[in-house]
Amino acid sequence: MIRMVDLIERKKRGIVLTDGEIRGMIQAYTDGQIPDYQMSAMLMAVWIRGMNDDEITSLTLAMAESGDQLDLTSVPGTKVDKHSTGGVGDKTTLVVLPVLAALGVPVAKMSGRGLGFTGGTVDKLESIPGVRSELTEEEFLRVLRDVGFVDAAQTKELAPADKMLYALRDVTGTVDSIPLIASSVMSKKIAAGADRIVLDVKCGSGAFMTEPGTARELAEQMIRIGKLAGRTTVAVISDMNQPLGRMVGNAMEVEEALEVLSGGGEERLRELCIRLAAEMLQLSDRCCKTGEEAAKEVERVLSDGSAKKKLYDFVEAVGGDSSFLDHPCIPAKYELKVYSKESGWLSACDTAGIGNAAALLGAGRSRKEDAIDPAAGIRIPVKLGDRVSPDLPIAVLYTNRQETLAAAEELVRNAWSISQEKPELRPVVLETLR
């Protein structure tokens, strides 16, 4: 049997672990032969000493192989998956997957639920009456074949080692480790059967990676893992220094995604959706020669309604009421307008503060077992670079929890910085790495 204490000692001293050692360690931990306290020590050693590319790839594949792996070979075509590292108001999956399905590119995706200020795609989908996110493998494959895309909650059997390790990382101060983040993300994508992967790596005040340099380092690491694991991977680094779009909240974000699927939508959100979908289209076997050609194809299915129809088809296929999508609004009991504290230009945003305010209103969770209120959220009529004054609202809060309004109002008002000079603005797409 593997001696875990020897592996901890070696990694503590910066010695590279072999593929066999890493795979043996993950298997033994998943089987319950290694206690949490020893694995916690290993995670801290990795946080301090890091891992090289071979070690990270071994860890990724060991976690991917620790449970079931989806077999998508019964579905024709190259399967391209998408992953976002999480952000405030990020509803791109609700747009991008129907777009790819309308273009004939199958997308099989497993999404998560929100925790804290980061919204989860599963929560957004479940704000649609009747939608089921817990699908059997047979149901998952049936929806994929019938609709062209599927998005469901991750099953307990998929990469169980990753779930176990993340639970430890969350309570041992080792979440912010690039080797551990990269292997966690890529293990799930590989286990879910993706042939090729597009990553949306968020960067800014509402993202885990706040600086472009660390976002790029994470993106490069995941691309290297993809290459070593035989999966072509592209990373788009996108701006999260303000909420994406004008709505934060589950049913509200469904409404905003439908605006994009109807050929409109807020400019930055629409641009990022088109960019991500175009990258995925270029990786498919319906490859366009240039990004410009791919973007035109994406814009075509947004304009002609075929992408929007795919979302209706998906909702019906998973038991939902597609008529809700005609008027996706769930009224909240309480509404409060938030006004600017002074006149000037919106120059910076504490995006995490806005996400935390939305969670406080009921749109997110502080614990995994917390219930989500699909009606709760924030409508944001402004963006960085706008001129504001005390007589104009910078946000509207919606909730069924009246007692949270005052604290949420303070968070939202204090999230915006105001200057007397118009700021320079960052583009929504900062960089693309291939």
Side-chain angles (χ1 to χ4, degrees), residues 86-89 115-119 205-208 248 351-359 364-365:
V88 178
L115 185 63
F117 68 79
T118 300
S205 61
F208 188 74
V248 180
T351 312
I354 290 179
N356 286 328
R365 331 176 149 77

Side-chain angles (χ1 to χ4, degrees), residues 171-192:
V171 296
T172 57
T174 55
V175 170
D176 56 337
S177 161
I178 285 179
L180 297 177
I181 295 170
S183 59
S184 175
V185 169
M186 296 299 287
S187 67
K188 291 191 284 284
K189 296 295 103 177
I190 292 169

Side-chain angles (χ1 to χ4, degrees), residues 85-90 117-119 202-211 238-244 349-356 426:
T85 57
V88 178
D90 181 7
F117 68 79
T118 300
K202 301 295 187 186
C203 174
S205 61
F208 188 74
M209 298 297 169
T210 58
E211 299 299 327
S238 64
D239 178 55
M240 192 38 72
N241 273 320
Q242 61 181 313
L244 186 60
C349 180
D350 173 16
T351 312
I354 290 179
N356 286 328
R426 298 204 309 189

Side-chain angles (χ1 to χ4, degrees), residues 273-416:
C273 288
I274 290 173
R275 185 66 170 271
L276 292 171
E279 293 292 345
M280 294 175 74
L281 182 58
Q282 284 186 280
L283 289 183
S284 74
D285 49 16
R286 289 195 66 238
C287 181
C288 297
K289 291 183 180 179
T290 67
E292 184 178 353
E293 290 174 349
K296 286 181 179 178
E297 283 286 281
V298 172
E299 290 172 338
R300 176 178 63 79
V301 297
L302 288 174
S303 299
D304 66 17
S306 56
K308 183 178 179 179
K309 183 180 183 303
K310 284 293 183 181
L311 183 60
Y312 277 69
D313 292 343
F314 170 74
V315 168
E316 292 175 0
V318 294
D321 179 6
S322 63
S323 67
F324 174 81
L325 301 178
D326 296 333
H327 303 285
C329 178
I330 301 177
K333 290 181 182 178
Y334 305 102
E335 174 182 329
L336 177 67
K337 292 181 179 179
V338 181
Y339 291 88
S340 171
K341 52 191 174 184
E342 60 182 297
S343 296
W345 302 93
L346 292 177
S347 58
C349 180
D350 173 16
T351 312
I354 290 179
N356 286 328
L360 193 62
L361 295 169
R365 331 176 149 77
S366 58
R367 300 173 302 172
K368 289 183 179 180
E369 60 269 24
D370 289 347
I372 288 286
D373 181 359
I378 306 174
R379 190 180 301 270
I380 306 168
V382 297
K383 59 182 183 296
L384 292 180
D386 283 355
R387 180 84 181 174
V388 296
S389 60
D391 59 337
L392 295 174
I394 57 173
V396 185
L397 313 184
Y398 300 90
T399 187
N400 291 309
R401 304 175 182 173
Q402 186 178 21
E403 69 278 6
T404 66
L405 280 169
E409 178 185 17
E410 184 177 6
L411 281 171
V412 171
R413 182 180 288 114
N414 292 336
W416 295 99

Side-chain angles (χ1 to χ4, degrees), residues 207-228:
F208 188 74
M209 298 297 169
T210 58
E211 299 299 327
T214 53
R216 191 178 212 280
E217 184 180 352
L218 175 60
E220 289 175 336
Q221 183 62 72
M222 289 191 287
I223 288 172
R224 289 196 294 270
I225 292 173
K227 183 176 180 180
L228 290 170

